């Protein structure tokens, strides 16, 4: 039994990352989003994590630095996603490892919070709470309940704010 390694992506991983997203999401939209972001200034290779198992890429999560604005101020938080694990390796904790690694990376890089648009039930177990409960909104036309967040620094999101995802995400929705 091989151990899971989570590490930043390299140029050699790009094709495998596409395959992970296409197989997990059952379509090309998320892989396309990652490829578009990779060409943009929003992209930072250190914030793109792969899960490797026995030399094979089996999972990927992308973190993007995004502005969170409120009247008179702006800060940056990390937006988590897309994230996926190949169906043949799901339910083995790989998704959990990717989220835990994301939280650790956010701490290491000094970010105060992580936001995520996705299945709220899944993220709840990792300490993510409903964004609407702390007056945080975003520019994507997704259901309000789908936006969740986790403070890395307690109180970081006090007062709420509006998260601006880059235009590549807007095109996906
Ligand atoms: C969601 C996903 C990343 C989870 O990866 P994983 O490696 O299977 O996750 P873990 O093994 O750490 O956790 C599995 C648990 O997640 C929960 N889970 C998985 N998908 C879920 C969902 N859509 N909603 C709520 N809970 C979910 C299940 O309770 C599961 O528990 P079980 O193994 O006891 O059945 C993976 O299923 C995936 O790639 N799905 C398709 C793409 C996707 O939806 N990505 C997330 C977008 S927000």
């Amino acid at each position: 039994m091989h151990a899971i390694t989570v590490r930043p992506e390299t140029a050699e991983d790009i094709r495998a990352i596409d395959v992970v997203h296409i197989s997990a999401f059952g379509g090309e939209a998320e892989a396309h989003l990652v490829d578009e972001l990779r060409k943009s200034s929003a992209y930072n290779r250190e914030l793109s994590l792969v899960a490797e198992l026995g030399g094979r890429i089996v999972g990927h999560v992308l973190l993007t630095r995004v502005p969170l604005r409120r009247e008179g101020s702006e800060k940056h938080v990390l937006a988590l996603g897309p994230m996926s694990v190949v169906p043949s390796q799901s339910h083995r904790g790989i998704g959990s490892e990717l989220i835990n690694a994301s939280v650790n990376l956010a701490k290491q890089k000094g970010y105060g919070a992580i936001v995520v648009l996705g299945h709220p039930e899944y993220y709840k177990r990792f300490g993510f709470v409903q964004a609407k409960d702390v007056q945080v909104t975003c520019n994507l036309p997704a259901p309000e309940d789908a936006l969740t967040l986790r403070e890395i620094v307690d109180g970081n999101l006090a007062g709420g704010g509006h998260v601006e995802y880059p235009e590549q995400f807007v095109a996906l929705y």
Side-chain angles (χ1 to χ4, degrees):
M1 179 68 186
H2 295 283
I4 304 285
T5 307
V6 175
R7 58 163 177 80
E9 76 167 47
T10 67
E12 288 76 50
D13 301 325
I14 291 175
R15 180 76 195 115
I17 291 171
D18 279 352
V19 171
V20 168
H21 288 303
I22 292 167
S23 65
F25 284 103
E28 299 199 345
E30 289 76 11
H32 182 68
L33 169 62
V34 174
D35 290 335
E36 289 300 307
L37 285 166
R38 210 179 263 121
K39 293 184 228 157
S40 81
S41 59
Y43 175 75
N44 176 352
R45 192 186 68 80
E46 290 182 2
L47 298 177
S48 177
L49 301 177
V50 293
E52 197 177 84
L53 179 68
R56 187 177 154 227
I57 303 302
V58 293
H60 176 246
V61 62
L62 184 67
L63 296 157
T64 305
R65 180 178 190 265
V66 291
L68 181 138
R69 301 199 171 100
R70 70 174 73 129
E71 222 163 281
S73 74
E74 173 177 304
K75 65 170 83 172
H76 285 86
V77 298
L78 289 179
L80 184 153
M83 175 174 93
S84 69
V85 171
V86 288
S88 63
Q89 299 294 334
S90 66
H91 303 285
R92 296 183 182 191
I94 298 172
S96 303
E97 295 232 11
L98 285 170
I99 294 178
N100 291 334
S102 300
V103 169
N104 287 337
L105 189 58
K107 280 183 189 158
Q108 200 187 318
K109 299 273 177 200
Y111 286 94
I114 298 180
V115 298
V116 54
L117 255 183
H119 311 291
E121 282 307 310
Y122 181 67
Y123 294 100
K124 202 160 80 177
R125 75 182 65 179
F126 304 100
F128 285 75
V129 300
Q130 289 284 322
K132 64 180 178 197
D133 292 345
V134 287
Q135 288 76 51
V136 171
T137 54
C138 76
N139 61 329
L140 300 181
E144 192 185 50
D145 285 354
L147 188 66
T148 62
L149 56 84
R150 177 173 157 172
E151 286 185 339
I152 302 295
V153 176
D154 279 350
N156 187 262
L157 296 181
H162 188 70
V163 174
E164 287 279 340
Y165 277 83
E167 59 182 0
Q168 291 81 358
F169 282 88
V170 180
L172 182 77
Y173 279 84

